[in-house]
Structures are given as structure tokens and as C-alpha cells.
Amino acid sequence: MVQRGQGVVAQAIQAVEANPYEMFKTQVRLAGEKLGLPPDLLEIVVTPERVLEVAVPVKMDDGHIEVFTGFRVQHSSARGPCKGGIRYHPAVTVDEVKALAGWMSLKCAVVDIPFGGGKGGIVCDPTKLSEGELERLTRRYTAMILPLIGPNRDIPAPDVNTNAKIMNWLMDTATALKGEPMYAIVTGKDVAVGGARGRREATGRGVMIVTQEVLARLGKKLTGATVAVQGFGNVGSVAALLLHQAGARVVGVADISGGLYNPNGLNIPELVEYVGRSPQRLIAGYSAPGVSPIPAQEVLTLDADVLIPAALEGQINERNAKDIMAKVIVEGANGPTTPEADVILEERGRLVVPDILANAGGVVVSYFEWVQNLQYFWWDEAETNARLEQVMRRAFQDVWTLAQEKKVTLRIAAQMLALSRVAEAIRLRGIFP
Ligand code: NAD
């Protein structure tokens, strides 16, 4: 049995290095095996329902035309319309988009919101595009994927290198082409054009809530707990601020420009204000009594109760996993821990709250945005936050209970819970025709 487990883990490790979609398939098969699900049902789950590749011709500022490649993948609509972001990046591949779409199906199922998973991407380097080129790229891509997306079919959102402005253009293009308001076709918009109040803070707020939950299960309080946060962007800075406000001591933070350390706790509200005023939104140059600069990577190995990786994937890996001091790791980022590191952390008794649970606050409030858009009924921020809290606490409890029952890690429990919900929906609906 142990032999077999090691084999699957080794397979997963090789797979992630080779191809994220292979990793997704391995994860689903592993969780499916533990659940005793039939292989033909798992075959449905590992195979995306639809994969669309589109050509996106764009008139560039100098007059020449460039043709970009874009994708939209609908992984599963078994539990509801597909939901997932759009990524603009030179390294986008169809297999990456397929994997990300699959993980969205699992994330929506863990928090039990009525969405399946989808994802989109364009192979491009947005840093090399002017504002006008970016807008024309977005509008033409929207037109090309419009046969697939829609409020009741597939609802995009921001992902790496896309933001509210791009979502506003997507909504406006769909509205122009359909001839009717299309607010609910995309989430993550600005509030003035149908975005949800509280969406910007939602992922960080979810991270704060699950941190509170996991510490409570370990018999610890958030008040006075020490926290280190890697990444001080949307997720990291909001999580740090809310944790600070809830009484935690944030002793270290880092972004791409470096790290900061104060064993007595950093003044996070002051730092957030500083970063907000900095032209590139970086912590570089910040100083205060008791604060020492540290290399960015050192934030991961600080002696803190909780570590929150909220930057990029693969940050906790086989090189540094043995040096992680934090007892609890709450994954704000997507995929911050490699499968190899996961094994090392487990052996060293570290508890990892996995990304599909820990950072699901964003998609939960995206769901609330969609509900508000469909009803033309705007909620206030307090209502959004209260409902988010309810969903996150329930999801955490579900995953925790399953992990205890099955004696598995929280990551495997989250995958099992999600997969069981997706599989149940497929089973109950039956196969057409
Ligand atoms: P962001 O661009 O706002 O912030 C990223 C931060 O990471 C920046 O502060 C950047 O300087 C820092 N960073 C980058 N490389 C680093 C390094 N090597 N060391 C230390 N810091 C580094 O992005 P975000 O929206 O906060 O997303 C962060 C992660 O969370 C991503 O994995 C994203 O997929 C995931 N996520 C985001 C949301 C959301 O709602 N924004 C939802 C779910 C998951």
C-alpha cells in the first residue's frame, strides 16, 4: 500500500514538471482511487468538456497586424455554469488552461457554489502591448469566444495579468454584440459597472478566515499568533492587513523587491499605505524603527506560527521545504507548494491548508457578483463579507472533518471532497443520450 502511494506521488512529481494537465489528471485519479470511484467516471472528470482555440488578429499601433492565439476551456458544467479566469502570458499553453479549468471545477466544488470550472488564456506578453493594443486584443478575443461564454454558460474573471479594466471591456464588448446588458457574463469588474463590493479584498479575507479556523482547530488563537506573508499584492497585502486587524503579529512580509522583518510585528496599515503610494506598488524603501530588511526568499523560513505564500506557484519546493519553520501554511497563491515539498512538509508535521480551499474567497465573491448581476440587485459590502465568512467556515469544516475521518492531509481531503461532489453531480444527471 505504501509502495503504491509512493509510486503515485513520484508520478505526480514527474507530471507537474512535465505538464500541469498531467498533474491535474494524476491528482484526480489519486483522489478517485481513495474514494473508490469507477475509472470510467474518473475519465469523464479528467477530460474537459470543450476546448476552443481561437485566432485573435489585432491591428497594432504601427499599423501591422499580429495574430495571437487564445483559448477557452470548459472543464465541467456538471455543477453549474463554467467559471474561471483569463490569463494573459507568453507561457500560456492549452494544457495549462485545461489544468487550470479543472482546478476551478474542484475549487468551486470545495466551497459548494453552483459553478463548474473553466479557464481562458491568450499567448501574449501584456507588458509589451500599449493600452490600445490590449483593449483591441481583449475585445477581439471576447468576440471569438462569445459563442461559448455567457451568463448561463461560462463566466470569465481576472487571472494573471488581467484585471477589472479588462473585465469591463469584455462585458462591454459582449453587451455591444448581443444588444442587451451583459453584466453577468464576467466577474471581477469595477463596482461602477456591476462589480461586487468587497470582491477586491475577498481572496485575502478568505485566507484570514481559514487561518483563524485552522488555528482554532489546533487550540490556538489568532490574537498574538505570528505570521509571515510572501507576496504583498492583492492577496498578500489584504490577508496581512486583516490578520493584523484581527490581532495577529505579522512579523515578516516580502514582495519581488525584497523582504521586511520585525519580530515585534510590522505596522501593516502603514506599510499598505506606503505601498499604495509607491509608483510600482512595492515595499522597497520602507523603513521604520525595529524593521530590518531581509532577502525576499527568507520570509518563507522565518520562525512564525503561520506562513502565507501569496505570490507565485512553486515557491515552497524541495530546496527549502526542510527549512520551513511555520507549523501551518495557508496557501494564498495557486500552487505555491510543489508535490515534492508537500511530501517533505507532511513528514515534518507541517499542516498545509491547500489553495483550492484557502484562496477560494475570490471565486465565492465572484459568485455573489454574478448573482447580483442576474438580479440587478446590489448588496452592500457587509452583506457580502458576512456571506463569504459563512461559506468559508463551512467549507473549512467540511474539509477538516473529512481529513480527520480518512486520516489524510487537508489537500487530499479537499480534493476528495471536491471530486466526490463533481462525480455525484455527473452520476445524478446521467449521460446524455
Ligand atoms: P498580485 O500581482 O497582486 O501580487 C503578487 C505579489 O507577489 C506581488 O507583491 C509581487 O511583488 C509578489 N512576488 C512575485 N514574485 C515574488 C517573489 N519571488 N518573492 C516574493 N514576492 C513575489 O497577484 P495576486 O492577485 O495577489 O495573486 C497572488 C497569487 O494568488 C497568485 O498565485 C494568484 O493566482 C493567486 N490567487 C489570486 C486571487 C485573486 O483574487 N487575486 C484568487 C485566487 C488565487
Side-chain angles (χ1 to χ4, degrees), residues 199 203 230-235 254-256 310-312 315 332-334 359:
R199 170 65 184 87
T203 308
Q230 185 206 33
F232 210 69
N234 175 287
V235 180
D255 69 8
I256 194 76
L312 299 175
Q315 293 297 302
N334 281 317
N359 70 32

Side-chain angles (χ1 to χ4, degrees), residues 11 267 428:
Q11 208 184 327
N267 183 339
L428 289 171

Side-chain angles (χ1 to χ4, degrees), residues 87 107 119 158-161 199-200 202-204 229-237 254-258 280-282 296-297 299 309-313 315 331-336 355 359-363:
R87 179 171 291 199
K107 193 180 289 189
K119 205 82 182 190
D159 189 66
V160 174
N161 292 330
R199 170 65 184 87
R200 194 186 68 76
T203 308
V229 183
Q230 185 206 33
F232 210 69
N234 175 287
V235 180
S237 70
D255 69 8
I256 194 76
S257 68
Q280 290 174 304
R281 307 187 88 78
L282 293 172
Q297 282 299 307
V299 80
L312 299 175
E313 57 271 26
Q315 293 297 302
E331 293 186 333
N334 281 317
D355 47 7
N359 70 32
V363 76

Side-chain angles (χ1 to χ4, degrees), residues 255-393:
D255 69 8
I256 194 76
S257 68
L260 298 170
Y261 175 62
N262 183 349
N264 299 318
L266 295 158
N267 183 339
I268 297 296
E270 191 180 277
L271 188 58
V272 168
E273 215 186 293
Y274 176 86
V275 169
R277 276 187 275 113
S278 113
Q280 290 174 304
R281 307 187 88 78
L282 293 172
I283 61 176
Y286 174 83
S287 69
V291 177
S292 345
I294 54 169
Q297 282 299 307
E298 258 179 42
V299 80
L300 295 171
T301 52
L302 286 177
D303 187 7
D305 297 313
V306 180
L307 170 64
I308 300 175
L312 299 175
E313 57 271 26
Q315 293 297 302
I316 303 175
N317 47 49
E318 63 171 336
R319 290 185 298 284
N320 59 15
K322 62 181 186 318
D323 303 321
I324 304 285
M325 307 270 276
K327 308 282 177 309
V328 173
I329 295 121
V330 180
E331 293 186 333
N334 281 317
T337 311
T338 65
E340 281 162 310
D342 235 355
V343 174
I344 299 169
L345 292 174
E346 193 187 351
E347 280 168 4
R348 295 182 59 233
R350 268 53 189 172
L351 196 58
V352 179
V353 185
D355 47 7
I356 59 169
L357 170 64
N359 70 32
V363 76
V364 171
V365 175
S366 271
Y367 163 52
F368 297 158
E369 180 173 331
W370 176 74
V371 167
Q372 293 171 62
N373 291 163
L374 287 175
Q375 299 181 336
Y376 290 92
F377 182 74
W378 298 167
W379 307 355
D380 64 23
E381 193 169 337
E383 178 162 10
T384 298
N385 292 346
R387 286 180 186 266
L388 170 65
E389 190 169 333
Q390 201 182 359
V391 171
M392 295 303 295
R393 292 199 194 284

